[in-house]
Amino acid sequence: MGTDNHPARAFAPEPVPVTGLGATTPLGGDVASTWSAMLAGDSGIRAIEADWVGGLPVRIAGQLAVEPAEVLDRVQARRLDRCEQVALIAAREAWADAGRPEVDGERLAVVIGTGTGGALTLLGQDDILEASGVRKVSPHTVPMLMANGPAAWVSIELGARAGAHTPVSACASGAEAIALGLDLIRLGRADVVVAGGAEACVCPLTLAGFAQARAHSLRNDEPGRASRPFDVDRDGFVIGEGAAVVVLERAGFAAARRARAHATLAGAAVTSDAHHITAAAPEGQVRAIRRAVAEAGLSPLDIGLVHAHATSTPLGDLAEAESVTAAIGAHPVVTATKSMTGHLFGAAGALGAVASVLALRDGAVPPTRNLERQDPAVKLDVVAGAARRGALGAALTNAFGFGGHNASLVFTPAP
């Protein structure tokens, strides 16, 4: 796998408490319901009932358990793309969970990553333009389709003026957003950062595109069994939608307001493969994992849990298993929650971070659903069947994306 001559950055890492969690997913409309379903091994993947799905080769998805329109103000919801809606819902929950910190807006930043942004708006308004002409196109089209919309709306709601950032790095976007949030705090540019990812692009074009690329599962008749990371019968991922957000705080700021921390973000790393637009290079993943662990001031043996990217593709799962084994060994327990939610693309890494934080907090690791026969080439201790309980040490979250994007996060239990 090669060597890494630059394992960590030069400055001494500062522990960054995670004080707030928020999510809306195919398993639940908030963190509590999502986490409960994960521990139970439930599936949020089901058949798509929309009229447009009839002629498509893929007819299943990880669809939201709670529709945003049931949560948001009706007028506001009409002016937001679905991606923006889920980001705002998750951010509101995370902010409330953190106790709504009283922080100067100049010291509050937002980082919300996404892979496709407002693609539903782009496609829908283009259809309207073609069918009905210019006068029928919504005047809100551009603010709804722009990829920075989720971060912008969250920053407006919270009054965040220390920056509203939008990493767009495919399926690594949400994890990279959290890594950037860590940097902003460590570099002294913010006291509080609201960071995460959002995605909502279950539509004919994405389903058809991934089916044509032979990346999506075609188990239309058994949705709950379609996503099966590390299983010998895996045949591709299942597209999902949702958002996950965390609140990060400078340790001194959190201590001064006596904030409760769920866990601590101890290290992060972002690398790129410079190899291929869709095929992963395990060496880049290894560098990300090793650097994140080193930056956290830990050794590989300190990692007790790996929340795997594990999308359920034949090649991707095997590449990650090899990368984890090469970077830190085969000793940690491993979970792959995309088996239950589907692949939330730009939100996937952020949801993995939330699951990792909760696993450390509660001493519980969700099972990997549908892992009936583990691929013998995967030399990892993957949790299957039922949740596993016990002390975990530190947790590693991986997120890898098309384009050769790799992001790894390391969490430790709250002091």
Side-chain angles (χ1 to χ4, degrees):
M1 294 293 183
T3 59
D4 188 354
N5 295 321
H6 307 281
R9 286 169 281 190
F11 57 84
E14 175 190 5
V16 173
V18 180
T19 60
L21 302 172
T24 181
T25 76
L27 291 175
D30 56 19
V31 167
S33 56
T34 296
W35 182 234
S36 177
M38 277 186 179
L39 291 178
D42 294 341
S43 177
I45 297 169
R46 61 186 188 276
I48 300 170
E49 298 181 356
D51 294 340
W52 49 256
V53 78
L56 293 173
V58 174
R59 300 186 297 279
I60 57 175
Q63 301 163 83
L64 289 173
V66 177
E67 279 296 309
E70 298 178 21
V71 180
L72 297 173
D73 173 83
R74 183 177 60 86
V75 174
Q76 184 180 43
R78 288 180 57 192
R79 296 179 178 180
L80 299 176
D81 180 82
R82 192 172 178 87
C83 182
E84 297 169 337
Q85 292 173 356
V86 295
L88 199 57
I89 290 168
R92 284 176 176 175
E93 182 187 9
W95 191 248
D97 184 48
R100 296 182 174 84
E102 294 185 7
V103 57
D104 184 341
E106 297 290 341
R107 302 292 300 165
L108 172 62
V110 171
V111 192
I112 306 290
T114 183
T116 61
L120 290 182
T121 292
L122 176 63
L123 295 169
Q125 291 300 312
D126 184 64
D127 288 345
I128 290 172
L129 176 63
E130 294 293 331
S132 304
V134 173
R135 295 181 65 84
K136 294 296 182 178
V137 172
S138 169
H140 303 291
T141 295
V142 174
M144 291 173 70
L145 68 82
M146 61 192 193
N148 63 305
W153 279 112
V154 172
S155 72
I156 291 169
E157 167 127 339
L158 300 179
R161 300 192 298 276
H165 306 274
T166 306
V168 179
S169 45
C171 308
S173 301
E176 188 166 335
I178 294 173
L180 177 54
L182 179 67
D183 284 345
L184 291 172
I185 289 175
R186 286 181 170 173
L187 292 171
R189 294 175 180 169
D191 291 323
V192 181
V193 179
V194 177
E199 203 77 87
C201 197
V202 177
C203 66
L205 184 60
T206 52
L207 291 172
F210 284 123
Q212 287 295 95
R214 298 184 179 180
H216 202 289
S217 173
L218 298 178
R219 294 176 183 264
N220 294 307
D221 295 332
E222 43 185 5
R225 301 185 70 240
S227 181
R228 41 198 324 112
F230 299 125
D231 190 83
V232 292
D233 293 325
R234 64 191 185 276
D235 70 331
F237 63 75
V238 177
I239 189 173
E241 59 180 354
V245 171
V246 301
V247 176
L248 308 174
E249 299 191 34
R250 181 172 56 81
F253 184 88
R257 71 180 194 90
R258 298 181 181 178
R260 169 221 54 198
H262 294 288
T264 298
L265 178 55
V270 175
T271 67
S272 52
D273 294 342
H275 166 68
H276 190 275
I277 197 64
T278 57
E283 186 273 336
Q285 298 177 4
V286 169
R287 284 188 291 115
I289 294 169
R290 285 178 174 167
R291 290 184 185 186
V293 172
E295 184 180 278
L298 302 176
S299 74
L301 290 176
D302 293 319
I303 304 299
L305 167 67
V306 174
H307 186 286
H309 181 65
T311 63
S312 186
T313 61
L315 295 179
D317 287 7
L318 186 55
E320 182 178 13
E322 293 174 351
S323 298
V324 169
T325 303
I328 58 175
H331 63 278
V333 297
V334 177
T335 186
T337 60
K338 291 181 182 68
S339 59
M340 295 174 271
T341 64
H343 190 359
L344 273 60
F345 300 144
L351 184 56
V354 169
S356 297
V357 166
L358 292 170
L360 291 181
R361 187 194 70 182
D362 297 348
V365 180
T368 300
R369 184 181 171 88
N370 300 320
L371 184 56
E372 298 165 358
R373 292 187 299 153
Q374 184 166 319
D375 189 331
V378 175
K379 309 298 184 182
L380 296 172
D381 179 13
V382 185
V383 179
R388 192 179 301 183
R389 299 184 181 274
L392 297 169
L396 170 75
T397 302
N398 287 330
F400 310 129
F402 279 3
H405 302 278
N406 309 301
S408 294
L409 310 171
V410 173
F411 298 93
T412 54

